[in-house]
């Protein structure tokens, strides 16, 4: 079925490509280019999936974001690229 997917990447080209592909698959998307922005959007919406680049810009930033998302939701699917 249709998912609500938050896409997080600090590379604008990758963000655009991923959003196009995921929307084309019939899912609703939101985008964020930084971890703090991603958490604000995640808190404001009902997302069941997050697709993120681990290097935001460093892997530690991506790992911290994963921990923060997991604290907010035990069931959110997190895909790391």
């Amino acid at each position: 079925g249709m998912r609500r997917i938050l896409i997080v990447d600090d590379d604008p080209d990758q963000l655009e490509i991923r959003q196009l592909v995921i929307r084309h698959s019939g899912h609703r998307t939101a985008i964020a280019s930084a971890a703090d922005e991603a958490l604000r959007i995640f808190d404001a919406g009902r997302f069941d999936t997050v697709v993120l680049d681990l290097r935001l810009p460093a892997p530690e930033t991506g790992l911290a974001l994963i921990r923060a998302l997991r604290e907010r939701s035990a069931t959110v699917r997190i895909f790391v690229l």
Side-chain angles (χ1 to χ4, degrees):
M2 187 187 73
R3 296 192 169 279
R4 288 181 54 84
I5 301 176
L6 174 58
I7 309 162
V8 191
D9 198 318
D10 59 349
D11 178 334
D13 293 332
Q14 288 300 318
L15 203 56
E16 185 179 8
I17 290 165
R18 289 185 184 134
Q19 186 174 36
L20 284 169
V21 169
I22 291 170
R23 278 193 174 166
H24 187 72
S25 302
H27 303 293
R28 293 179 64 183
T29 61
I31 56 171
S33 57
D36 55 345
E37 180 190 12
L39 289 175
R40 278 199 307 276
I41 294 170
F42 187 82
D43 289 341
R46 279 199 156 103
F47 297 94
D48 48 51
T49 306
V50 178
V51 175
L52 65 95
D53 176 21
L54 197 60
R55 303 179 78 82
L56 288 171
E60 299 78 40
T61 315
L63 291 169
L65 176 56
I66 292 168
R67 282 194 295 273
L69 290 166
R70 200 39 85 214
E71 284 169 8
R72 287 160 163 77
S73 170
T75 57
V76 63
R77 293 180 180 201
I78 301 172
F79 292 95
V80 180
L81 304 171

